[in-house]
Amino acid sequence: MPHFEKTPYTVPVYDLMHRPGEMRESDLDVAAPTKMGEGLTAVRVGSPVDIDLKIESLHDGLLVSAHVSATAEGECSRCLKPIAQSVEVDFAELFAYSEDEAFDYQVQDDHVDLEPVVRDAVVLSLPFQPVCRPDCPGLDPETGERVEDLVDYHPREVLDPRWSALSQLVSDTVPTDADAEAHGDPKPTD
């Protein structure tokens, strides 16, 4: 087993080990030592991460349940405004006493390291395409300006070039006398 290194996310559990039925609740306030997330929003280094923790002793290991609160900062995927969003996520993981392939996490040197579990939970809860508000209009496709900053904005109607031949066909047709009679219109008089 590799040597265990203590981090801000490590919690001592000696008092709970091999005592099924024992439980402890605590709060863990951590300044994020590394950035969590690589997308448009992320929990930045040094941001506060609040972990409401409950550790229960079982026969095979320790069940760790937690509610994690943090703030993710970044930019809106539509208008590129800076945004800050609250991140609230829950998890429950078993930290096993033995190194068994059936368990992802182990108790090491009478401690549990919550960093990989917290990181996974937070990163997976971050939105893929965050927005500043649900009805964000985004950017003008031609000028790149924020639509909400433009006064009396009306998107320009762009004709698909694949239809340009049909528009010429429609403008080239002028109704004739035969067309008027076919439709039951009276014959124009001079």
Side-chain angles (χ1 to χ4, degrees):
M1 174 164 40
H3 180 67
F4 179 71
E5 255 184 66
K6 191 170 180 178
T7 70
Y9 290 99
T10 56
V11 178
V13 291
Y14 180 77
D15 59 324
L16 294 173
M17 290 179 60
H18 303 289
R19 294 187 177 127
E22 293 286 321
M23 185 207 37
R24 177 176 26 147
E25 293 182 349
S26 61
D27 284 333
L28 188 62
D29 294 318
V30 177
T34 59
K35 180 179 171 185
M36 288 188 238
E38 294 296 328
L40 291 174
T41 59
V43 176
R44 306 282 183 220
V45 174
S47 295
V49 178
D50 180 45
I51 305 168
D52 295 329
L53 194 60
K54 181 167 94 173
I55 305 173
E56 299 173 78
S57 181
L58 305 173
H59 289 286
D60 293 338
L62 300 171
L63 178 64
V64 178
S65 306
H67 177 80
V68 180
S69 304
T71 301
E73 298 175 6
E75 59 186 24
C76 176
S77 63
R78 292 184 192 161
C79 70
L80 306 178
K81 266 188 188 175
I83 57 173
Q85 295 181 329
S86 175
V87 176
E88 303 282 331
V89 65
D90 296 317
F91 69 83
E93 285 292 339
L94 179 65
F95 286 78
Y97 294 131
S98 65
E99 290 187 39
D100 187 356
E101 291 181 16
F103 301 107
D104 292 331
Y105 305 102
Q106 286 84 35
V107 175
Q108 295 179 346
D109 293 340
D110 303 332
H111 288 78
V112 292
D113 184 11
L114 301 176
E115 184 172 11
V117 184
V118 170
R119 173 179 297 286
D120 288 350
V122 168
V123 169
L124 290 174
S125 72
L126 293 174
F128 183 66
Q129 293 184 329
V131 290
C132 58
R133 60 179 207 257
D135 63 342
C136 176
L139 302 175
D140 181 272
E142 291 183 15
T143 65
E145 296 178 81
R146 285 191 186 108
V147 171
E148 68 181 17
D149 296 342
L150 301 174
V151 180
D152 295 331
Y153 174 76
H154 298 289
R156 193 180 77 140
E157 188 175 323
V158 179
L159 182 62
D160 189 335
R162 296 174 289 182
W163 295 101
S164 62
L166 288 178
S167 65
Q168 284 179 335
L169 181 63
V170 170
S171 63
D172 289 345
T173 59
V174 177
T176 63
D177 293 339
D179 291 334
E181 288 178 14
H183 294 295
D185 295 336
K187 188 175 183 179
T189 57
D190 294 322

